[in-house]
Amino acid sequence: MGGRRWRIMADQMKDQLNQLNRMYKEMDDIYRRQAARFDLSDAAFWVLYTLCREEAEISQNELCTMWFFPKQTVNSAINVLVKKEYVTLQQIPGTRNRKAVKLTDNGQKFCEQSIQPLIRAEDDSFIQMDAQERKIFLQLFRKQIDSMKKSLQSV
């Protein structure tokens, strides 16, 4: 009986993981579609998203770390955004070559059209959960990510 119960649990877990992975992809698709609506690459979208969301000064390196993009991908995205006059690069005082990425006035207006509606939708969807549900959701999501990283270290 133990073998049968284990197979049922394994099948349920497989189904749950498939469901979870489809939800990850569905969420990813929401962001990708929003980026595509405004002719932005994924990386350019996340650069603008961060600049709209964060109040602190953000460097190119910080963007790479935050969003798990290679430096070249972020640099290319920023170059496109500079050409579109949505962002500027400014040397960070006291550093050799670190530059802060900042929205221009044109970039601010563009973000209001393209990024802010998505941010408002995120906020609206997150507020549908109470504070305890949000805390549990984030804790469980972090636990899954950390467990997966740990499992892959031994591979």
Side-chain angles (χ1 to χ4, degrees), residues 37-75:
R37 279 184 62 206
F38 294 95
D39 195 30
L40 296 170
S41 69
D42 285 352
F45 171 84
W46 288 109
V47 167
L48 291 175
Y49 175 96
T50 305
L51 296 175
C52 289
R53 219 15 149 171
E54 299 287 329
E55 293 182 19
E57 193 171 80
I58 304 288
S59 72
Q60 290 173 284
N61 288 341
E62 289 168 322
L63 287 164
C64 294
T65 302
M66 278 180 180
W67 299 112
F68 302 92
F69 282 120
K71 283 184 181 182
Q72 186 56 44
T73 301
V74 170
N75 289 341

Side-chain angles (χ1 to χ4, degrees), residues 60-121:
Q60 290 173 284
N61 288 341
E62 289 168 322
L63 287 164
C64 294
T65 302
M66 278 180 180
W67 299 112
F68 302 92
F69 282 120
K71 283 184 181 182
Q72 186 56 44
T73 301
V74 170
N75 289 341
S76 295
I78 290 171
N79 286 336
V80 168
L81 295 172
V82 166
K83 286 179 187 166
K84 290 184 177 190
E85 298 181 354
Y86 294 156
V87 302
T88 61
L89 292 172
Q90 296 178 355
Q91 185 72 33
I92 297 174
T95 66
R96 262 185 349 127
N97 59 355
R98 286 188 63 215
K99 294 182 181 176
V101 184
K102 297 188 176 211
L103 285 173
T104 62
D105 289 341
N106 199 27
Q108 291 274 8
K109 290 175 191 167
F110 181 76
C111 280
E112 186 55 43
Q113 296 175 308
S114 62
I115 309 295
Q116 290 298 340
L118 184 129
I119 289 173
R120 286 189 289 274

